[in-house]
Amino acid sequence: QVQLVESGGGLVQAGNSLKLSCVFSGRSVRNYALGWFRQVPGKERDAVVVRTTGGTTYYGDFVTGRFTMSTDIDTNTLYLQMNSLKPDDTAVYYCAATLRYYSDIGDYAQPWAYDYWGQGTQVTVSS
């Protein structure tokens, strides 16, 4: 059984950085397409950054070079490094994974494409 557990959220001032972690248990993270999503109350869950098993990466338009996803195969952990944070980045952040293959990379940016989700971690950016 695959489980994803996020950590690293918190309160941070605008302009600062935060690094989220997602520990992947059950199977090797290298076998999965991976993604970070975020959601604010009353709105849809949006893709922040997603990566296929082939290494193709898609970034949400709002990222503008500020966020980077990485993985540590040895610790089976997925990371999201967030720099130059803005108040609009305030949201619950989720990591996600799937073994499914989609020919259209745009599908990987959709929440329905993922089978496994973490519980979410709150990020609050103050102005």
Side-chain angles (χ1 to χ4, degrees), residues 34-55:
L34 303 166
W36 284 97
F37 290 76
R38 71 185 191 184
Q39 189 170 24
V40 298
K43 294 191 175 181
E44 295 182 348
R45 191 168 294 188
D46 293 326
V48 176
V49 55
V50 301
R51 188 175 69 204
T52 69
T53 52

Side-chain angles (χ1 to χ4, degrees), residues 4 6 18-22 24 29-30 32-37 47-60 63 65-73 77-83 93-98 105 108-109 114:
L4 285 66
E6 299 121 340
L18 205 60
K19 188 173 185 177
L20 305 183
S21 300
C22 173
F24 202 92
V29 66
R30 72 176 73 195
Y32 290 79
L34 303 166
W36 284 97
F37 290 76
V48 176
V49 55
V50 301
R51 188 175 69 204
T52 69
T53 52
T56 303
T57 304
Y58 164 93
Y59 290 92
V63 171
R66 301 179 297 128
F67 298 174
T68 304
M69 180 169 70
S70 62
T71 54
D72 185 327
I73 301 301
T77 304
L78 175 67
Y79 296 100
L80 179 65
Q81 176 68 47
M82 303 186 293
N83 300 325
Y93 285 72
Y94 298 89
C95 58
T98 184
I105 188 174
Y108 288 98
Y114 294 82

Side-chain angles (χ1 to χ4, degrees), residues 102-113:
Y102 304 99
S103 58
D104 183 349
I105 188 174
D107 289 346
Y108 288 98
Q110 305 305 317
W112 53 255

